[in-house]
Amino acid sequence: MRKTIVAGNWKMNKTPSEAKALIEELKPLVASETSDVVFCVPAIDIPAAIEAAAGSNIAIGAENMYFEESGAYTGEIAPNMLTDLGVKYVILGHSERREYFAETDETVNKKVLKAFEHGITPIVCCGETLSQREQGVTIDFVRQQIKIAFQGVSADQAKTAVIAYEPIWAIGTGKVATTEQAQEVCAAIRACIAEVYDEATAEAIRIQYGGSVSAASAPELFAQPDIDGGLVGGASLKPDFGKIVNYK
């Protein structure tokens, strides 16, 4: 039985002092024995977040990471910088990174491999645009993203990964894919993993839905057989995040 994982993607929000205050407020609200809880915060907030989350069930993740160990990469963050602070997860390939910062399937793959090398669990994002959905190529497009992202990843590594399906047209728009749409794509992702690896790996990997997840939509979404939680944007910055975590 896969354990639900609910991760908050804070994006470019909250100063370190604000991050600490928010985590203190949310700690009692997100306490859960049935779901893993992750806050993926801006890099500058990580030390404050680690300190604030100490002793709780909250794991701290990063929103991005580079695929080199060190070097002349101004503004980038190396994996050992994250592990030295105690970071457990990292979001890779978010559609905003792809759209605004020219990330590609190939660079996402490099980052995934580097995350595993350092013992960081990648939350690998995939998802289609509205035009791609209207053209009927959603499944083909998402399968391509997943296959490239997992090139060179072993089955044992893949079993520990998290995949976040986020239809781009639903991110920050208030639009949510229907339960049927979300389940269809997440099932296709699991089938793709089974093709690349085997059924055991496909059964082990956790697949989230992301895209305007709310306390109202979470119970039905998370009850689907191939949806193992959510990657939550704006709602993760509010007390309602506790209701999403404790959706049952």
Side-chain angles (χ1 to χ4, degrees), residues 41-54:
V41 306
I44 201 167
D45 291 347
I46 290 172
I50 293 280
E51 181 183 353

Side-chain angles (χ1 to χ4, degrees), residues 26-33 35-38 53-59 245:
L26 291 178
K27 268 198 291 193
L29 304 179
V30 301
S32 172
E33 294 182 358
S35 298
D36 287 336
V37 180
V38 185
S56 75
N57 65 311
I58 300 167
V245 169

Side-chain angles (χ1 to χ4, degrees), residues 3-241:
K3 189 175 183 181
T4 301
I5 178 167
V6 184
N9 176 13
W10 286 19
K11 307 192 179 185
M12 196 176 71
N13 292 292
K14 302 300 179 183
T15 64
S17 58
E18 289 170 342
K20 185 174 181 180
L22 180 58
I23 290 173
E24 293 294 350
E25 178 185 4
L26 291 178
K27 268 198 291 193
L29 304 179
V30 301
S32 172
E33 294 182 358
T34 57
S35 298
D36 287 336
V37 180
V38 185
F39 289 167
C40 295
V41 306
I44 201 167
D45 291 347
I46 290 172
I50 293 280
E51 181 183 353
S56 75
N57 65 311
I58 300 167
I60 299 301
E63 297 179 12
N64 186 36
M65 181 199 81
Y66 201 51
F67 52 76
E68 295 288 356
E69 299 286 341
S70 62
Y73 305 105
T74 301
E76 291 294 338
I77 299 163
N80 64 333
M81 295 175 182
L82 299 179
T83 56
D84 189 66
L85 288 171
V87 167
K88 304 296 185 186
Y89 294 83
V90 61
I91 297 173
L92 299 176
H94 192 280
S95 62
E96 291 159 0
R97 297 292 314 173
R98 296 175 190 258
E99 180 180 358
Y100 304 134
F101 305 103
E103 290 199 9
T104 65
D105 292 336
E106 289 74 20
T107 57
V108 171
N109 173 242
K110 290 181 179 180
K111 292 181 178 187
V112 169
L113 293 171
K114 187 58 68 172
F116 279 123
E117 191 178 318
H118 285 264
I120 305 172
T121 299
I123 299 175
V124 185
C125 297
C126 60
E128 82 285 8
T129 65
L130 183 59
S131 64
Q132 287 166 332
R133 173 161 285 278
E134 290 173 343
Q135 291 161 8
V137 299
T138 293
I139 301 299
D140 291 338
F141 181 72
V142 169
R143 281 171 56 89
Q144 175 179 307
Q145 287 183 309
I146 294 302
K147 285 188 173 184
I148 296 175
F150 280 81
Q151 279 186 337
V153 175
S154 72
D156 286 341
Q157 289 172 328
K159 287 175 183 176
T160 69
V162 179
I163 296 173
Y165 166 57
E166 294 196 305
I168 296 169
W169 48 271
I171 298 174
T173 62
K175 296 179 180 178
V176 183
T178 66
T179 303
E180 292 75 21
Q181 287 172 327
Q183 164 58 23
E184 177 190 25
V185 180
C186 289
I189 291 169
R190 200 174 303 283
C192 180
I193 292 294
E195 289 175 25
V196 173
Y197 298 101
D198 50 41
E199 288 293 340
T201 304
E203 281 301 309
I205 200 166
R206 293 190 287 182
I207 303 173
Q208 299 173 313
Y209 169 77
S212 300
V213 176
S214 66
S217 62
E220 187 175 347
L221 284 165
F222 297 175
Q224 300 308 302
D226 291 295
I227 301 178
D228 307 310
L231 182 58
V232 184
S236 68
L237 300 167
K238 303 172 184 176
D240 262 12
F241 190 56

